[in-house]
Structure formats: C-alpha cells, structure tokens
Amino acid sequence: MDAKTGFFYLFSVVLLFAAFRVITARNPVHAVLNLILAFSQAAAIWLLLKAEFLAIVLVLVYLGAVMVLFLFVVMMLDIHIDTIRKGFWKHFPLAAFVGAMIALEMAAVLMGGFRGMDEPKAAAVVLDAAGQVVPYSNAKALGKLLYTEYLYPVEIAAVILLVAMIAAIALTLRQRKDTKAIDPSTQIRVRARDRLQVVKLVATRKPAPEVATEPAGEEKKA
C-alpha cells in the first residue's frame, strides 16, 4: 500500500467518524464542529483525487462561510435539548423509513448508474518549449471553460447574485418604526449646550425636622 492509499483510508475513517458524530452528538455546537471536521476531510479526499478546485471551494464556501454562520446561529439560539427529544421515538418509524428509502436510492444510483460508461480519459500531456511536461490543472481548465464557452451564463449568475445582495442590504437598512438607529448627520451637528439641560424642579418633599443636639462638653443631669 502506497502513501496515497494510506492517506485515503485515514481521511475516510476520520470522515465517517465525524459524520457519525454529527447525528449522535447531544450538544448542537459539537455537532457543528464535527460537521466542519467532516468537510475538511472531504476536501482532503478531493485533493487526493486531483480535484483541487472542488477542494478549495469546499473549504472556502462551506468551512469559511456556511459552517461558521451555522456555528454562530447555534451558539446564539437557546436550544432546549430535552424539549426537542420528547417526540423522538414518536417520529422514529417515519424517520427510519425515509432514511432507508434514501439509502436504497443512493445504492441504486451508485451500483447501476455508472454501468456502460467509458473510463475517463487521461489528460493529454503538454510540453513546453524546453520539452518538459507542463502539470495539468483542473482549476485552470475549468476557468478557461467557464470564461469562454459558458461566459454568458456566468455573467447572468453574477448579476443575479449582485441584485440579491443589493436587495438584502436594502431590506436591512430600510426605515422602520421600531428601529433605534440615529442619523449620523444629526450626531455631527450636535452642540455642547444641547447635550445637557438644567431644569429647576419644585420640591415635593417637606424638609426633615431639625433634631436638637446637646453640646459635647455638657453632661446630662440625672
């Protein structure tokens, strides 16, 4: 067994263990952390398969954005585990049936979906001017394909994402009655005498009666 095969088995074992812990962990934060570990091991397996673009996307998009967002949301929510687990055994038969159906469908696709397909052809060897082999890059080949043959779909997708981002910002910054935001221009134009206003109030309590005190030098007569 070579080193590549050994790393594949190592990453696969850690990936399966992390995926199992995602569904068995009692703490939601621990489940999210195990899911992050599972994604990192999947990215390592993609690297072993020479699909560096998919590995980079998996790390940047899921580990760098989606899973961090999930982690913050889970930490901010007040989740009561006991309340969630009350109806576990009540819905377990339906969940087991759905899980079995998904497993059978995946097995059918994996076992019979790739029959009759030819083996992938090896990439053509490219030589430079000096006669040395130029290493093949999936990311470079995918970039050339996206920005030549699929240029217009990529631009349309970019415009749609830009419109969605602008719409999200507009919905967030719209004027609402219950907002506590202050206009920055009003804060800049404020003056010192506007910050404090002295108001004279009428006394509402009667002053306490004065208590007569004896001089310290005099002694009380019996």
Side-chain angles (χ1 to χ4, degrees):
M1 184 176 64
D2 56 353
K4 184 178 180 180
T5 306
F7 278 115
F8 173 78
Y9 283 116
L10 175 63
F11 295 147
S12 301
V13 169
V14 178
L15 173 60
L16 293 176
F17 173 76
F20 178 76
R21 287 295 300 160
V22 170
I23 61 176
T24 57
R26 294 181 177 272
N27 193 334
V29 178
H30 294 170
V32 174
L33 293 176
N34 283 284
L35 188 57
I36 292 175
L37 177 62
F39 281 151
S40 64
Q41 300 304 304
I45 293 178
W46 282 118
L47 286 177
L48 291 179
L49 295 176
K50 297 182 179 180
E52 63 275 2
F53 179 78
L54 294 177
I56 293 173
V57 170
L58 186 60
V59 172
L60 293 180
V61 176
Y62 284 92
L63 295 184
V66 177
M67 294 314 304
V68 175
L69 178 62
F70 283 178
L71 183 59
F72 276 103
V73 170
V74 170
M75 292 176 66
M76 287 188 296
L77 292 179
D78 187 12
I79 301 176
H80 299 282
I81 305 300
D82 299 334
T83 306
I84 296 177
R85 293 182 179 274
K86 283 184 178 179
F88 176 78
W89 294 109
K90 179 181 178 181
H91 303 286
F92 179 77
L94 179 60
F97 174 74
V98 173
M101 290 297 296
I102 293 175
L104 291 176
E105 291 175 357
M106 292 179 63
V109 171
L110 293 176
M111 295 177 63
F114 298 100
R115 292 179 180 177
M117 296 181 62
D118 299 332
E119 296 184 0
K121 298 179 180 180
V125 178
V126 181
L127 302 177
D128 56 5
Q132 297 180 354
V133 178
V134 178
Y136 179 76
S137 175
N138 280 326
K140 184 177 180 180
L142 183 60
K144 286 184 177 180
L145 186 63
L146 287 177
Y147 291 101
T148 53
E149 185 176 352
Y150 297 98
L151 178 61
Y152 291 111
V154 170
E155 290 181 349
I156 293 174
V159 171
I160 293 175
L161 291 177
L162 179 61
V163 172
M165 182 179 65
I166 296 174
I169 296 173
L171 291 175
T172 304
L173 299 179
R174 64 180 179 178
Q175 188 68 24
R176 297 181 300 179
K177 295 181 179 180
D178 57 344
T179 182
K180 296 181 180 180
I182 302 176
D183 188 7
S185 60
T186 306
Q187 293 179 331
I188 295 174
R189 292 195 302 266
V190 71
R191 293 173 296 181
R193 60 175 178 270
D194 297 334
R195 295 180 178 270
L196 178 63
Q197 185 177 4
V198 180
V199 180
K200 186 177 181 180
L201 300 176
V202 181
T204 57
R205 292 184 58 186
K206 295 182 179 180
E210 296 181 0
V211 180
T213 57
E214 297 179 357
E218 297 181 1
E219 296 180 358
K220 293 182 179 181
K221 296 180 180 181

